[in-house]
Amino acid sequence: MIIYNSPSNAIFIYNPVAGRGRIKKRLGLIIIRLNKRFGKVDVKETSKKGDALEFAKEACGRYEYIIFGGGDGTFNEIVNGIACYKPSPILGYIPSGTTCDIASNFKLPRNILRALEIIENGIASKKALEIDALKINEVYAVYAVGAGSLVSIGYKTCQNKKNRIGRLAYFLGALNINKHIKGLDIESIELKDNTNMASASKGASLLLVLNSKHVAGAKINRGYKHDSGSAQLILVKKTSNNKIRKFLSVASALMFLRFAKIEGDFYTKNLSRTTTSNLKIKTQNANWSIDGEKSKTLNKSNNIEIKVLPKHIRLIVGENTA
C-alpha cells in the first residue's frame, strides 16, 4: 500500500452496456457523489471498442484519478491507455461486467454505492494499492493471457445474451464445442532462467499465463499475490484428437484447478503450473485472448514475449485487500 499526496481532479469513464447497463442507470447518482468529492468530474461514455483506451490515454498528465465503470474488458482498455505513462493516474473501479474477475481479486463490490464508498475512502485516506501488470509484446493485461481451447468463450459470447442471463451465457457458450475447441501448435516456451519447456508444452491444448486468482468467475490460481512480481504459466495437455474428449480434458483440468487446494508449482502428465516473471513463446496460428478479449495484434505474431511489470498500476481497493 502506498500513500500519495496530489491534487484532487478526476475523469469518469464508463461503458453504458456492461452488466445490463447498470452504470448508465445510476449515472446521475454516481456523478453527484463524484462531484461532491472532486468539485467537478468530467464524464466520458464509450460507444465502441477502444474508446476507453483512448480516453484513458488522453487523461494521462491531465487528471490524477481515472474513475471508471465497466467489465474486465473496460479495465483492460484503461490499463493499456495508461501503461506507458509515469506516474500514471490512480484508478478507482466500479465493477459492472458479467464476471468481473478483477473485482473478485481485489474484493471490490458490484454494488455501485459500496464501490463508490471504497473509492471515496481511498481518496480521503490518500491510499492506493500497487499491483502487477503483464506486458505481452506491445500490449498489456491486468490478469490473464491465454491461447488454445476455450479462450474464445469470453469474446464470442454475445453481449445481449450476457445481459439477459449473466454468467450462464458463458457456460452455454462453452457447450458449442466446434467453436471453442482450437488447436495449439507451440514450438517452444523459454523461461527467464533459460528453462526450455518444449517437451512440457508439446501437445498442449490450452496455455494460460495468470496474474490473478480468479479467471472466468472461478478461483483457479490460488497462489496469486497482487505484487509478487511473477505470474503462473498453466499448460493443459491434449489427450485426444476427438473434440469432445479434448473438451472434457480441458474442462476437467480447469475443474481440478478450481477445487484442488494446491498452491505453487506442480507437474502432472496432463497439467502443469510454473511460476515465472518472463517467458518467450513460439507458436503457429494461435488464437490469443487478453483479459477475456480477442487480441488481433497477438494473433498476427508467432513470437510472444510476456513480462511481469511489478507494481505497475495503482488501484483504490478496500482496506481488507492490502
Side-chain angles (χ1 to χ4, degrees):
M1 186 74 73
I2 61 168
I3 297 178
Y4 53 84
N5 293 285
S6 51
S8 294
N9 55 86
I11 184 172
F12 178 60
I13 301 169
Y14 73 100
N15 181 345
V17 300
R20 306 179 187 182
R22 292 173 58 246
I23 295 293
K24 191 161 188 174
K25 292 174 185 176
R26 308 298 296 275
L27 183 60
L29 172 64
I30 293 169
I31 300 307
I32 289 172
R33 292 279 291 265
L34 293 178
N35 281 344
K36 191 173 182 180
R37 169 57 58 184
F38 291 103
K40 182 180 184 303
V41 64
D42 294 329
V43 181
K44 293 279 191 179
E45 177 184 295
T46 66
S47 61
K48 63 183 182 302
K49 186 176 178 63
D51 278 354
L53 187 154
E54 291 302 321
F55 295 155
K57 189 182 294 184
E58 293 167 2
C60 292
R62 297 179 57 193
Y63 300 94
E64 184 65 26
Y65 305 93
I66 295 177
I67 314 300
F68 63 100
D72 292 335
T74 304
F75 204 125
N76 176 270
E77 287 196 30
I78 296 291
V79 166
N80 274 271
I82 70 172
C84 293
Y85 193 91
K86 289 297 179 182
S88 60
I90 296 148
L91 304 182
Y93 182 36
I94 303 175
S96 61
T98 305
T99 55
C100 286
D101 289 311
I102 297 167
S104 298
N105 284 325
F106 299 105
K107 300 180 181 178
L108 293 171
R110 293 166 62 85
N111 179 283
I112 290 175
L113 294 179
R114 288 174 57 207
L116 277 169
E117 185 177 350
I118 286 174
I119 292 169
E120 291 167 344
N121 290 341
I123 294 167
S125 63
K126 302 186 186 301
K127 292 181 179 179
L129 196 67
E130 292 181 303
I131 64 174
D132 297 344
L134 299 173
K135 184 178 182 182
I136 313 97
N137 289 2
E138 298 304 319
V139 295
Y140 299 84
V142 187
Y143 73 100
V145 183
S149 296
L150 302 187
V151 301
S152 59
I153 293 172
Y155 57 81
K156 285 191 175 179
T157 302
C158 74
Q159 186 64 51
N160 288 338
K161 187 175 289 186
K162 289 189 285 186
N163 288 344
R164 290 199 312 271
I165 60 177
R167 294 185 183 185
L168 181 59
Y170 292 117
F171 175 77
L172 295 177
L175 297 180
N176 189 338
I177 295 174
N178 288 327
K179 183 186 289 187
H180 300 299
I181 293 298
K182 305 291 184 182
L184 184 57
D185 183 9
I186 298 175
E187 293 181 10
S188 66
I189 299 178
E190 185 177 317
L191 305 186
K192 183 180 180 181
D193 61 1
N194 295 322
T195 300
N196 193 316
M197 298 188 65
S199 59
S201 61
K202 187 176 181 180
S205 180
L206 173 66
L207 179 154
L208 295 172
V209 178
L210 303 182
N211 183 38
S212 166
K213 282 184 182 178
H214 294 262
V215 178
K219 185 188 291 186
I220 69 170
N221 192 35
R222 296 175 180 273
Y224 162 78
K225 297 186 184 302
H226 67 266
D227 59 355
S228 66
S230 61
Q232 281 67 49
L233 166 65
I234 293 173
L235 290 168
V236 180
K237 286 290 191 72
K238 178 178 67 175
T239 57
S240 171
N241 289 323
N242 179 278
K243 286 190 174 183
I244 294 177
R245 290 180 181 176
K246 189 189 294 185
F247 170 81
L248 291 174
S249 69
V250 174
S252 62
L254 296 177
M255 290 294 285
F256 175 82
L257 291 170
R258 169 66 178 85
F259 292 106
K261 296 182 178 180
I262 299 177
E263 295 187 11
D265 296 0
F266 68 88
Y267 306 89
T268 70
K269 182 179 179 181
N270 298 319
L271 176 65
S272 66
R273 182 168 64 200
T274 308
T275 302
T276 184
S277 60
N278 187 313
L279 65 158
K280 296 179 181 179
I281 304 167
K282 288 186 178 182
T283 183
Q284 298 289 332
N285 303 318
N287 57 315
W288 288 96
S289 168
I290 295 181
D291 290 344
E293 300 293 327
K294 184 177 182 178
S295 176
K296 294 181 180 178
T297 303
L298 293 189
N299 288 348
K300 296 177 182 178
S301 176
N302 294 328
N303 295 288
I304 308 295
E305 181 173 13
I306 302 175
K307 298 178 181 178
V308 178
L309 304 179
K311 299 182 179 181
H312 198 71
I313 304 299
R314 297 182 293 173
L315 175 67
I316 297 173
V317 299
E319 290 294 327
N320 60 340
T321 305

